[in-house]
Amino acid sequence: MSLLGAAPAGTPAPQPRLRLRLRPAAETAVRRGHPWVYAERLRERNREGLSGELAVVYDRNDRFLALGLYDPDSPIRLRVLHAGKPVTVDDAWGRARLAAAIARRTGVHDARTNGLRGVNGESDGWPALVVDQYAATLVLKLYSAVWLPRITALTRWLCEALRPARIGLRLSRNAAPAFELAGFQDGQNLWGDATDASVVFLEDGLRFWSDVVKGQKTGVFLDQRENRRRIGAAARGLDVLNAFSFSGGFSLHAARGGARSVPDLDISPHALEAARRNFALNAGDAGIAAARHASIQADAFEWLERSGDRFDVVICDPPSLAKREAERAGAIEAYHRLAMHSIARVRPGGLLLAASCSAHVTPEEFYAAVTEAAHRSGRSFGEPVYTGHAPDHPATFDEARYLKAAFLPFEPPA
Ligand code: SAH
């Protein structure tokens, strides 16, 4: 029996293959490549399935439609692995699919950049699974227990393909209970014996610490790399406010690009401390040594509203403001207010970078909130530049396109 077809440990007598049929709209969506089937869109099932069991989907004409991982504990009841012609999901399949993800990233990884997303979930054909690479360390983040029966195979495929010194495991809140019952822990190593929480990696030659054991997501927000590059290229001689600064990624790029001052603004003392450590790590760079770096510990929503300070560039990259669909309208309103207060902090001739990582807010809604705030400021501004994910964060379906950013250049006084 193939590894991926194997029933989870502890399963009693062999059972017939789990077979599913879907409602017509779901069938069409899966045929077009959508990777999720919600529970209410299952039409028929030959028996109850186990978590992580491989299920075969048949279409309305009884032909093979797809293979997926059954997830009885999630509203996303089936996580599609493959749609189209029948395949055998075995070791060779796993290796080939991983090799395809690696090939997709040719050009992202080089001598100056060794921090990147190696596997971006569904959009790379690996549902509920992310791999971030930080130099020789891989962080495998799992968002569902469906991978528990395959954790050994996954570890082996990653070792074979990427030859890491270490693979750390990170578990989402949904995935953790099942893994913990099986003896796994969030933050543990799956491979390698390093025990240090932080690793150093490179982004465009800049050195960054990443806390791979406890850090947010897998340690660092790699998805903003292209936007950080843009800021770095535009910062010479300028005062750059980095609101929601986390570990100082934008400020480091700006400082190396010749910014005059780079204040970080974050509510978390740990984030500000991480940024100071990153600045120390790069103190050998002339621009970074010369730029005035400051830490402001405050609630950025309040600080931006109340402060009278002005900057040439204001970066505003808050955490997700809509974790659920029900929060969408409130989040759009919050983005609008945040953009208004950020714009008030931008000097004439300056630049606003407003970003959103809320999957429930569409790019159109976010861009409208930001440009509406700019109109309301009564100031003239040039054509905005809109950007999305870095190329190592491919997004093949709507729900995966969470990151959007607007660069808004304000006109200098006439
Ligand atoms: N721009 C960063 C990522 C930002 S993540 C990068 O490129 O890496 C969001 C950050 O917002 C986190 O560091 C979090 O501590 C901070 N944060 C959350 N709520 C906040 C608030 N109310 N005021 C200020 N910072 C906040």
Side-chain angles (χ1 to χ4, degrees), residues 266-335:
D266 202 288
I267 202 163
S268 155
H270 302 292
L272 294 167
E273 172 59 26
R276 282 193 294 270
R277 283 215 292 166
N278 282 334
F279 269 81
L281 197 59
N282 292 281
D285 178 273
I288 288 172
R292 268 186 285 131
H293 180 226
S295 308
I296 306 167
Q297 194 202 332
D299 180 324
F301 294 90
E302 289 176 11
W303 193 93
L304 288 165
E305 185 175 358
R306 296 217 189 111
S307 166
D309 295 350
R310 292 243 183 154
F311 305 87
D312 303 299
V313 178
V314 173
I315 295 149
C316 184
D317 181 25
S320 174
L321 300 181
K323 296 233 163 65
R324 289 175 290 129
E325 175 60 26
E327 295 167 346
R328 191 168 127 253
I332 294 170
E333 176 55 33
Y335 283 123

Side-chain angles (χ1 to χ4, degrees), residues 380-405:
S380 318
F381 57 94
E383 194 63 33
V385 172
Y386 300 124
T387 67
H389 296 238
D392 50 335
H393 292 66
T396 57
F397 60 111
D398 283 348
E399 293 89 331
R401 294 186 192 101
Y402 64 93
L403 185 68
K404 45 257 168 206

Side-chain angles (χ1 to χ4, degrees), residues 8 16-18 47-55 68-70 150:
R17 174 71 96 194
L18 181 58
R47 60 174 170 81
E48 178 53 280
L50 297 164
S51 173
E53 198 178 349
L54 197 63
L69 300 176
Y70 195 71
R150 300 172 180 86

Side-chain angles (χ1 to χ4, degrees), residues 347-372:
R347 289 184 186 130
L351 177 76
L352 169 71
L353 162 53
S356 159
C357 60
S358 306
H360 293 289
V361 174
T362 66
E364 294 72 25
E365 288 165 336
F366 177 66
Y367 298 146
V370 174
T371 45
E372 158 59 24

Side-chain angles (χ1 to χ4, degrees), residues 29-166:
V30 167
R31 186 166 279 124
R32 289 190 183 148
H34 200 284
W36 294 340
V37 179
Y38 284 96
E40 62 273 17
R41 301 181 100 187
L42 284 186
R43 183 166 60 85
E44 212 182 292
R45 184 182 66 183
N46 61 332
R47 60 174 170 81
E48 178 53 280
L50 297 164
S51 173
E53 198 178 349
L54 197 63
V56 188
V57 184
Y58 292 93
D59 70 9
R60 66 198 86 172
N61 299 317
D62 263 345
R63 282 189 304 243
F64 175 93
L65 175 64
L67 277 174
L69 300 176
Y70 195 71
D71 198 343
D73 306 315
S74 166
I76 301 174
R77 193 55 42 91
L78 184 77
R79 301 178 179 278
V80 177
L81 286 177
H82 168 87
K85 297 213 165 66
V87 290
T88 306
V89 175
D90 55 9
D91 254 338
W93 175 92
R95 289 191 185 111
R97 189 153 282 199
L98 198 52
I102 294 167
R104 220 164 274 141
R105 283 149 179 87
T106 309
V108 176
H109 187 288
D110 61 26
R112 288 167 54 77
T113 299
N114 63 14
L116 72 155
R117 175 146 301 183
V119 176
N120 193 35
E122 284 78 354
S123 297
D124 275 310
W126 294 93
L129 180 163
V130 155
V131 180
D132 281 347
Q133 295 179 244
Y134 298 107
T137 292
L138 301 183
V139 183
L140 172 64
K141 175 128 188 190
L142 301 177
Y143 291 88
S144 160
V146 293
W147 290 109
L148 178 58
R150 300 172 180 86
I151 193 75
T152 311
L154 269 177
T155 306
R156 195 176 59 246
W157 295 333
L158 288 169
C159 282
E160 288 168 359
L162 294 161
R163 303 266 160 221
R166 172 187 192 179

